[in-house]
Amino acid sequence: DIESITVVPGEDASPVQYGKVFIAVKPSGNNVFSTASKEIIKSSILKKTNVVTVIPEIIDPIFFYLKFDVTVNYDPVTNLTDETTLKTNINTSVQAYLQTNLEKFDQKFRYSQLVQDIDNTNNAIRNNRTIVKYEQRVTPATLNTPTTYDLLFNNELEKSSVMSTEFTGTDGLTYQLVDDSLGYIKAARTTDGVVDSPKVYLIQPDGSTNQGTIDYTTGKVILDNFRPVAISGGTDYIQLTVTPLVNNSDVTPVREQILTYDVSDTKAIVINMVAETII
């Protein structure tokens, strides 16, 4: 039931850990192995071949969920189907690219290839403009418990682009994470799914409004003592989405990272159709 596997020497890990080797294992689907399954792998497989001086560790993949906002310009005269059917076919092209080229270790996202696949869906398509965003998920082991999370997006990020799904703060109100364009992550209060204007930030125990930091150059996000009391939307995780500074570039995962997408997320692939008749 192992779909993909990669090995990371301890000296290449972050942080560096000499004397260890990290084995990232991806079972079928976007899942992770249970602690019990990891112990079975270590005892029944690794123990037989392990070098005594090296400590093997089974680790989970880190999933990057790609999200796409596609605007397609097409000629309605040339189009031999209706717009709805063309839109469905474009969605199929995007999913086919993702399923064929991603979802395993060491597989890159090639922006130009996806754009070309979209254009080749139908002769009626003149061009497309595709905006790519990345998402990582924060899954608290225990709610209402301060925890620090390190998230690395591996690319330069656009300022003021951080956005998360909603959660309940320590004051019982609803918030979502945002960045202030100055390098700090804050929790902004929301009403009916929209950030209040002007923004009202959740106050930390030390009196500040900072939930963490963001390095726009490296793409590293640190949530420091992050303490959601409850998570909105019926999931056990908070989605944290960012926008790369250069949007038409490739995305390269490192170490235990895997590029994928969430087929159940209606916002993962958004397609906007623009009829463009040239007389």
Side-chain angles (χ1 to χ4, degrees):
D1 57 349
I2 293 178
E3 182 178 346
S4 184
I5 188 169
T6 191
V7 177
V8 181
E11 58 268 27
D12 293 339
S14 180
V16 173
Q17 298 186 52
Y18 294 107
K20 286 190 175 183
V21 60
F22 296 93
I23 304 168
V25 183
K26 177 183 182 289
S28 299
N30 293 339
N31 305 305
V32 296
F33 278 118
S34 65
T35 300
S37 296
K38 293 175 187 174
E39 289 302 318
I40 291 173
I41 294 173
K42 289 173 67 175
S43 61
S44 65
I45 301 175
L46 297 180
K47 190 175 181 180
K48 299 176 182 178
T49 57
N50 184 46
V51 179
V52 176
T53 55
V54 177
I55 301 173
E57 295 285 348
I58 307 294
I59 59 176
D60 296 328
I62 296 175
F63 292 103
F64 277 22
Y65 294 87
L66 300 184
K67 308 182 84 165
F68 305 90
D69 191 319
V70 184
T71 299
V72 176
N73 294 295
Y74 74 98
D75 181 2
V77 176
T78 306
N79 185 29
L80 300 179
T81 64
D82 59 274
E83 182 179 283
T84 301
T85 301
L86 178 56
K87 184 175 181 179
T88 299
N89 292 339
I90 293 169
N91 186 285
T92 300
S93 293
V94 175
Q95 292 197 44
Y97 169 82
L98 299 175
Q99 293 168 1
T100 301
N101 297 283
L102 303 182
E103 304 192 325
K104 293 183 180 179
F105 295 109
D106 299 321
Q107 289 186 315
K108 297 182 179 182
F109 166 70
R110 302 290 189 184
Y111 181 87
S112 60
Q113 185 177 338
L114 174 63
V115 170
Q116 184 178 30
D117 286 355
I118 293 172
D119 282 348
N120 291 339
T121 301
N122 190 292
N123 290 334
I125 297 175
R126 297 187 183 281
N127 56 66
N128 75 86
R129 179 174 181 268
T130 298
I131 297 175
V132 183
K133 296 185 178 183
Y134 321 141
E135 171 194 311
Q136 287 194 60
R137 295 178 175 178
V138 175
T139 305
T142 306
L143 291 169
N144 202 16
T145 302
T147 306
T148 297
Y149 301 89
D150 286 9
L151 308 173
L152 185 59
F153 288 93
N154 301 338
N155 277 281
E156 287 191 75
L157 302 180
E158 189 176 293
K159 294 182 178 180
S160 300
S161 71
V162 170
M163 179 178 295
S164 79
T165 47
E166 294 178 302
F167 59 91
T168 303
T170 51
D171 59 1
L173 300 175
T174 304
Y175 294 86
Q176 72 178 44
L177 296 174
V178 299
D179 71 289
D180 64 359
S181 79
L182 300 175
Y184 293 99
I185 304 293
K186 300 176 183 287
R189 188 184 301 169
T190 62
T191 302
D192 296 328
V194 179
V195 174
D196 293 352
S197 183
K199 290 185 175 70
V200 178
Y201 298 119
L202 178 65
I203 299 176
Q204 296 284 68
D206 63 2
S208 76
T209 58
N210 296 332
Q211 296 284 333
T213 59
I214 176 171
D215 187 321
Y216 297 108
T217 301
T218 64
K220 185 171 185 177
V221 174
I222 299 177
L223 301 179
D224 189 24
N225 293 321
F226 183 45
R227 187 181 177 181
V229 175
I231 297 175
S232 307
T235 69
D236 62 350
Y237 54 81
I238 295 171
Q239 299 166 257
L240 187 70
T241 303
V242 300
T243 303
L245 184 63
V246 180
N247 205 275
N248 60 348
S249 61
D250 297 341
V251 182
T252 303
V254 298
R255 298 187 300 272
E256 70 272 30
Q257 298 171 349
I258 290 179
L259 303 180
T260 184
Y261 80 110
D262 188 346
V263 67
S264 65
D265 185 355
T266 57
K267 296 181 180 179
I269 303 174
V270 177
I271 299 174
N272 311 289
M273 305 297 293
V274 179
E276 188 180 70
T277 304
I278 299 178
I279 303 175

